């Protein structure tokens, strides 16, 4: 249980285009999902917290107009990188807060990540 | 502010025991996690400590001292497949995870 998927796993796009990444909780409902970015040889940096039915909370220094987050259902959050540039190339990872009950509500379950390359 | 420190790299021999330390200073504390991450993959959960003491899970154990802001991950009977990055992460209030920079462990034969 508690499986999170991401799609696509890899994407290459031209500079100036927009890219949408989907994060799905497959076997549980996730009211809260998180989006992270990881540059090579660095750790995960939280970009934003996505709450179902409300606006995302962005971390300091993350442009909310550039990284659009939509959490329209209890099993899906999307991250859209708008007007992507080469410096946005990174590994984007989502996670979902575990289902309440059963002791998993404090755990985050990670998706497999999306490798974005902007040419 | 937030500060999570762990060694950048460690090397150990197959079959040996290795301890990866993590010290933290965060604005809130709702538990400490250890994750394993292989290159190009997402982190996988190893352990969770919220109370002081040792949690053992097979070849992996994790220790927490909240008063000292200190944790360690102990890996026993090292195998080559244990070569990976190990991430220490503190959960702050609101379920926000703050990650350390990670420790790259190299297991040699």
């Amino acid at each position: 249980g508690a499986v999170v998927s991401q799609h696509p796993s890899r994407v290459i796009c031209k500079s100036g285009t927009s890219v949408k990444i989907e994060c799905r909780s497959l076997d549980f409902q996730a009211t809260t999902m998180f989006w992270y970015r990881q540059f090579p040889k660095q750790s995960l940096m939280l970009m934003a917290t996505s709450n179902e039915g409300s606006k995302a909370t962005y971390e300091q220094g993350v442009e909310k107009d550039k990284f659009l987050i939509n959490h329209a259902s209890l099993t899906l959050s999307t991250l859209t990188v708008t007007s992507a540039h080469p410096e946005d190339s990174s590994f984007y990872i989502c996670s979902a807060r575990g289902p309440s009950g059963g002791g998993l509500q404090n755990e985050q379950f990670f998706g497999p990540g999306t490798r974005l390359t902007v040419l | 502010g937030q500060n999570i420190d762990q060694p950048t790299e460690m090397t150990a021999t197959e079959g040996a025991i290795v301890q990866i330390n993590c010290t933290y200073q965060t604005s809130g504390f709702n538990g400490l996690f250890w994750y394993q991450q292989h290159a190009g993959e997402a982190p996988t959960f190893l352990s969770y400590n919220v109370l002081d003491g040792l949690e053992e899970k097979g070849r992996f154990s994790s220790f927490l001292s909240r008063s000292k802001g200190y944790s360690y991950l102990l890996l026993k009977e090292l195998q080559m497949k244990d070569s990976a990055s190990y991430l220490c992460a503190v959960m702050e209030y609101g379920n926000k995870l703050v990650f350390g920079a990670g420790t790259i462990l190299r297991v040699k034969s």
Side-chain angles (χ1 to χ4, degrees):
Chain A
V3 177
V4 176
S5 71
Q6 264 183 260
H7 178 79
S9 58
R10 288 181 178 272
V11 58
I12 300 172
C13 69
K14 293 182 179 179
S15 185
T17 60
S18 295
V19 174
K20 180 186 281 189
I21 303 169
E22 293 185 349
C23 177
R24 293 182 186 273
S25 56
L26 296 184
D27 49 4
F28 66 102
Q29 294 183 332
T31 55
T32 304
M33 291 185 173
F34 302 88
W35 286 97
Y36 297 84
R37 181 168 51 181
Q38 186 176 31
F39 291 107
K41 298 186 179 181
Q42 295 185 26
S43 192
L44 281 75
M45 295 298 294
L46 180 65
M47 298 174 67
T49 302
S50 170
N51 297 298
E52 188 268 336
S54 64
K55 290 183 179 180
T57 304
Y58 290 82
E59 294 300 300
Q60 194 172 4
V62 178
E63 299 174 57
K64 62 180 180 181
D65 294 329
K66 180 170 181 62
F67 299 98
L68 302 178
I69 292 172
N70 186 301
H71 194 154
S73 78
L74 287 172
T75 59
L76 174 65
S77 175
T78 61
L79 168 69
T80 302
V81 183
T82 62
S83 187
H85 289 95
E87 57 265 29
D88 298 323
S89 299
S90 186
F91 192 47
Y92 291 86
I93 306 174
C94 73
S95 71
R97 181 180 170 184
S100 57
L104 295 177
Q105 60 267 28
N106 282 341
E107 189 171 343
Q108 289 185 22
F109 297 90
F110 286 86
T114 297
R115 175 76 58 193
L116 170 64
T117 302
V118 185
L119 302 176
Chain B
Q2 307 163 338
N3 196 30
I4 299 178
D5 288 319
Q6 46 183 133
T8 305
E9 294 184 12
M10 299 183 72
T11 301
T13 305
E14 195 175 13
I17 298 173
V18 70
Q19 178 174 313
I20 303 174
N21 296 324
C22 171
T23 58
Y24 64 89
Q25 288 178 313
T26 56
S27 56
F29 184 83
N30 203 21
L32 186 143
F33 291 80
W34 283 95
Y35 289 89
Q36 180 191 62
Q37 186 180 28
H38 286 98
E41 298 179 11
T44 54
F45 170 79
L46 290 178
S47 68
Y48 170 61
N49 294 68
V50 66
L51 299 176
D52 290 352
L54 187 68
E55 293 281 341
E56 296 186 80
K57 200 187 239 187
R59 295 190 299 115
F60 296 80
S61 303
S62 57
F63 172 83
L64 174 68
S65 169
R66 288 172 296 170
S67 61
K68 295 181 180 178
Y70 168 69
S71 172
Y72 67 73
L73 178 70
L74 194 71
L75 294 80
K76 303 176 186 176
E77 301 170 16
L78 278 174
Q79 302 174 10
M80 298 299 289
K81 67 178 182 179
D82 297 329
S83 294
S85 182
Y86 291 85
L87 308 175
C88 171
V90 172
M91 179 163 281
E92 297 187 330
Y93 300 128
N95 288 95
K96 176 179 162 179
L97 269 180
V98 180
F99 282 85
T103 298
I104 297 173
L105 174 66
R106 295 189 174 86
V107 181
K108 58 181 183 179
S109 57

